[in-house]
Amino acid sequence: MNLFQSLVIFLSFVAIKDVASMDREDFISDINVLRRDYANRFKVPNMHELIWSWGLFNILIPLEWGVPWPEARKTWRYLRLESYEGANTSTKNAAEKYFSNPYNRTDSYNELEFLNPIQRFYACIGRSEWIREELRGYCVCLVGTEGEFTIFDTSGNSKKVPGSECHKRYKNDNGLCVPNNKTEEWYDGHPQDILEDINQIRKVYSEKYNVPNMHQLIWSDDLLKNLQKMIWSNRFQDACVTWRYVHLDNYIKTSIESELDTFFNKIPLEKRLFIRNGSDTTLRSLEFLNPLQKFIACGRKTNSLIMVCLFGTEGKFTMFDYSNKSSEIPGSNCHKGYRNDSGVCVAIKPEEESYFGRQLDFMSDINQIRRRYAKEYRVPNMHELTWSNDLAEVLEHLHMTGVRAQAKKTWRYGAINTYDNIIYQIEKGVTFFFESNRTAKKIHIESLSKKDTMDRLEFLNPLQKTIACGRKEEEGGYRRGIYIICLLGPEGNFTIFDTTFQWQASAGSKCDKGYYNEDGLCIVQIPTQEPIIDYRKMAEEEKNKALTEEPEPEPLLENHGNGISLGYLLAFLLAKLLFNI
């Protein structure tokens, strides 16, 4: 809870004229006692305990009473109380009145909203208004996550067991469904619910459109940490590199399914235009169906009333074939470390999968792209990068301020989002530079030279030979979050190869001493060594072999006397016949 929230919640429960200074916990405790009483009296199987929600509270803060609320009755409903202290009595009176003479309302049922059995969250705030030149207080409460008003069977004929149909992760406590762990239950949705719902939707579309590479999403705490640190202003600065995003007014599975239905009901041209127009930012609910995404994290930003989900590690939007003509087998083209499970690519060892990826794959990819640029621009001295434990030890003890302060001496540094998709990250970061004219390139280099790093170009410095990377947190500026910081050595100065295609040399033709050309990349030589032959050991082995093995039997010579073999006689007769011997 931040200072602002603490101040607002304090003021909302301060007595304002007729609003009694009743403690929030006492107020809602009385309401939950009433809910339990009605659950047992009318045998309500799904009456849930109401718990406080900061998500609902953040929604409630800017709302003004008397002004239309179009967001209402979707995932929350509202009511007005004259005081907290009298809420229990007024709710009970409203209930008895309704039981004797049911009625319908299109807006709010006021206190009766507290008896909607499937609502699980609430938030209230104290307000005031001038009435006849007198300032009077009142309370406004929101309850969620249900937009429809639901009342239990009030006929008295229910045969169900109170508390027998609780929500997931809830248990029966004397007729009332209470959460196993209140801190894990959010109005915005529990991570487990979001994950299960979205993966179910992905599975349905994978089977419907024969998607060969639809991957099951894994919840990522790393993505969630980055989300919590990011500054939200209708979009994110660093999106579409190793992650994409979608913002939602709230999380409801049915609303996502409805939005997806709207897209797939469009004509082909409308679909293509929709994807093209939003591919550089967000495609809303369609982001949930990017088959190559493997990680997800969702949360509500503190400086925004909307919910945001991040997906990784793909920054580029990929759409499957939705023409209904695909003959692919669902789940037949999975990434490494994934297997086909009923048409969806599922991680073999999900506990080992990370949004930040694997270092081993990264080292292979980083040298692959260095070789590619070396061959494309005929760079004679592009060297292979090898992992350096010495650089890793240096990096381990540095914060970002230390990295900046010590760079440009015997090493430089570059930042990437993840170890995965490094080729795409570098391409996205350097494409503008390579496609620019000579003047623009010069200006770009001069501009970057004023900074501590040349960004993605650092990874294409041909003279660098060693690298070490690790996670570091960037705490200031608009790029707050956790990144992979890489130190590259041994060069403290930045060097870029000639990008004008005027090099006459061939790729890998001028490798430093100790390196050799391997398909355009200068590879470090591994010293060869003649095998050491231990003749004493060999003699000992032969001696032991002679002692343990049985001697071979001598050949047995049989004496057949004057007998002539049948074969010899046959050969003699044949020769006599042919040559008249």
Side-chain angles (χ1 to χ4, degrees):
M1 185 190 311
N2 59 36
L3 182 61
F4 173 72
Q5 288 176 323
S6 301
L7 179 60
V8 174
I9 195 65
F10 171 75
L11 293 175
S12 69
F13 283 93
V14 171
I16 306 176
K17 193 70 176 176
D18 294 333
V19 181
S21 55
M22 186 178 188
D23 184 81
R24 185 185 79 199
E25 295 297 329
D26 293 337
F27 150 69
I28 202 61
S29 177
D30 289 347
I31 294 297
N32 281 321
V33 168
L34 191 61
R35 287 170 72 88
R36 177 182 277 113
D37 290 344
Y38 279 119
N40 288 311
R41 174 182 166 186
F42 290 96
K43 294 183 171 53
V44 184
N46 58 349
M47 183 72 80
H48 290 77
E49 179 184 25
L50 291 177
I51 60 177
W52 177 266
S53 166
W54 284 110
L56 280 176
F57 184 71
N58 287 334
I59 293 173
L60 178 57
I61 290 174
L63 298 180
E64 295 183 27
W65 188 262
V67 177
W69 296 346
E71 304 89 353
R73 297 178 295 278
K74 293 180 181 178
T75 60
W76 52 265
R77 298 180 63 83
Y78 63 90
L79 63 138
R80 171 172 169 158
L81 300 171
E82 295 308 314
S83 71
Y84 293 118
E85 198 165 53
N88 186 282
T89 301
S90 61
T91 300
K92 190 172 183 179
N93 292 338
E96 297 301 328
K97 180 180 178 181
Y98 179 86
F99 297 158
S100 61
N101 186 22
Y103 56 89
N104 292 320
R105 296 286 298 269
T106 58
D107 48 4
S108 171
Y109 284 78
N110 282 324
E111 290 95 337
L112 207 58
E113 299 284 355
F114 277 137
L115 297 182
N116 185 336
I118 50 182
Q119 300 288 27
R120 295 182 292 132
F121 303 96
Y122 85 100
C124 298
I125 194 170
R127 294 283 170 81
S128 60
E129 61 183 354
W130 289 96
I131 300 178
R132 297 177 183 176
E133 299 183 354
E134 184 179 6
L135 185 64
R136 293 188 179 182
Y138 63 95
C139 314
V140 179
C141 296
L142 302 187
V143 289
T145 58
E146 298 300 318
E148 296 290 332
F149 177 76
T150 302
I151 195 65
F152 46 84
D153 181 0
T154 61
S155 66
N157 298 324
S158 174
K159 303 297 183 182
K160 295 187 176 182
V161 178
S164 61
E165 297 178 11
C166 296
H167 191 275
K168 286 183 295 186
R169 301 177 305 279
Y170 279 67
K171 61 185 177 182
N172 184 0
D173 182 8
N174 193 23
L176 188 67
C177 297
V178 299
N180 295 328
N181 188 339
K182 289 185 180 182
T183 61
E184 292 183 355
E185 299 301 325
W186 309 340
Y187 159 77
D188 297 319
H190 191 280
Q192 179 183 337
D193 295 338
I194 296 174
L195 199 59
E196 290 177 358
D197 290 347
I198 298 306
N199 279 325
Q200 179 60 34
I201 292 174
R202 289 168 72 88
K203 179 178 174 63
V204 168
Y205 278 90
S206 179
E207 294 174 346
K208 182 176 181 179
Y209 291 97
N210 295 328
V211 185
N213 55 354
M214 182 70 80
H215 289 74
Q216 186 181 74
L217 295 176
I218 299 172
W219 184 268
S220 171
D221 288 330
D222 294 321
L223 268 179
L224 183 61
K225 289 177 183 177
N226 274 346
L227 172 61
Q228 292 167 342
K229 294 177 181 296
M230 292 175 189
I231 298 175
W232 170 257
S233 57
N234 295 325
R235 63 169 296 174
F236 291 111
Q237 183 76 22
D238 287 343
C240 303
V241 179
T242 58
W243 52 266
R244 296 182 62 85
Y245 69 94
V246 59
H247 52 82
L248 308 165
D249 294 332
N250 46 67
Y251 173 76
I252 309 180
K253 181 183 178 183
T254 53
S255 65
I256 293 174
E257 290 173 328
S258 176
E259 193 169 323
L260 290 174
D261 287 341
T262 300
F263 170 80
F264 285 99
N265 287 331
K266 294 177 182 290
I267 63 174
L269 177 60
E270 291 176 332
K271 291 177 183 175
R272 290 195 297 270
L273 288 175
F274 179 81
I275 292 175
R276 186 178 69 183
N277 293 336
S279 60
D280 290 335
T281 52
T282 177
L283 289 163
R284 294 188 58 80
S285 291
L286 203 60
E287 297 286 352
F288 290 107
L289 294 184
N290 188 336
L292 300 183
Q293 301 290 25
K294 295 182 286 185
F295 302 95
I296 184 175
C298 302
R300 189 177 294 275
K301 296 295 294 174
T302 55
N303 60 335
S304 173
L305 298 182
I306 64 174
M307 186 177 184
V308 179
C309 290
L310 301 188
F311 307 89
T313 56
E314 296 293 319
K316 182 180 179 181
F317 182 79
T318 301
M319 189 60 187
F320 52 80
D321 180 359
Y322 50 79
S323 66
N324 286 316
K325 297 179 181 179
S326 173
S327 58
E328 299 278 359
I329 299 174
S332 61
N333 186 21
C334 299
H335 282 179
K336 184 171 65 175
Y338 284 71
R339 61 178 175 81
N340 185 0
D341 184 356
S342 302
V344 177
C345 298
V346 177
I348 297 172
K349 295 182 178 180
E351 69 280 1
E352 295 182 4
E353 297 297 327
S354 166
Y355 161 72
F356 287 110
R358 297 183 178 89
Q359 284 183 358
L360 184 61
D361 298 334
F362 161 76
M363 291 301 296
S364 173
D365 291 344
I366 193 71
N367 283 313
Q368 178 182 333
I369 195 169
R370 285 171 70 87
R371 173 181 278 116
R372 198 184 81 194
Y373 277 102
K375 294 169 73 173
E376 182 177 350
Y377 289 95
R378 299 193 291 273
V379 185
N381 58 349
M382 181 72 80
H383 290 77
E384 175 192 36
L385 291 177
T386 57
W387 187 267
S388 168
N389 290 329
D390 291 336
L391 280 179
E393 187 175 351
V394 171
L395 179 61
E396 182 181 359
H397 299 93
L398 294 177
H399 294 292
M400 280 308 301
T401 52
V403 170
R404 294 189 183 94
Q406 297 186 30
K408 299 184 180 181
K409 296 175 184 176
T410 58
W411 49 263
R412 300 179 62 86
Y413 81 93
I416 54 177
N417 294 57
T418 66
Y419 289 119
D420 282 349
N421 297 331
I422 184 61
I423 293 178
Y424 178 72
Q425 292 182 60
I426 291 177
E427 285 178 340
K428 190 173 180 67
V430 303
T431 297
F432 169 78
F433 173 79
F434 286 113
E435 291 181 350
S436 301
N437 58 37
R438 183 177 298 182
T439 302
K441 287 177 181 175
K442 182 179 179 181
I443 294 173
H444 186 67
I445 292 292
E446 290 176 351
S447 175
L448 289 177
S449 298
K450 298 175 183 178
K451 299 168 57 178
D452 302 303
T453 176
M454 303 295 286
D455 291 338
R456 300 291 197 268
L457 285 174
E458 294 285 358
F459 296 94
L460 297 180
N461 185 337
L463 302 183
Q464 301 291 30
K465 301 170 185 174
T466 56
I467 187 172
C469 306
R471 300 186 197 181
K472 296 293 176 183
E473 184 171 346
E474 182 68 82
E475 297 180 350
Y478 68 89
R479 286 190 169 180
R480 292 184 298 178
I482 300 173
Y483 295 89
I484 303 292
I485 300 299
C486 295
L487 305 189
L488 300 100
E491 296 295 319
N493 295 320
F494 178 76
T495 301
I496 192 65
F497 47 84
D498 185 354
T499 61
T500 62
F501 294 101
Q502 294 182 1
W503 274 101
Q504 299 302 317
S506 58
S509 60
K510 293 184 179 180
C511 297
D512 283 358
K513 185 178 180 180
Y515 288 76
Y516 70 96
N517 180 11
E518 184 182 277
D519 193 23
L521 190 66
C522 297
I523 306 295
V524 64
Q525 290 181 344
I526 300 176
T528 58
Q529 180 175 318
E530 292 292 333
I532 299 174
I533 302 175
D534 191 339
Y535 293 101
R536 184 177 298 176
K537 182 178 180 181
M538 290 176 61
E540 189 69 24
E541 289 176 349
E542 288 294 329
K543 180 180 179 181
N544 292 334
K545 182 178 179 181
L547 292 174
T548 56
E549 291 184 351
E550 294 183 3
E552 294 183 3
E554 294 184 5
L556 181 62
L557 300 177
E558 295 183 358
N559 183 8
H560 295 282
N562 295 325
I564 301 175
S565 71
L566 184 61
Y568 179 83
L569 180 60
L570 181 62
F572 175 79
L573 293 174
L574 184 60
K576 184 175 178 62
L577 178 64
L578 293 175
F579 301 105
N580 295 318
I581 298 176

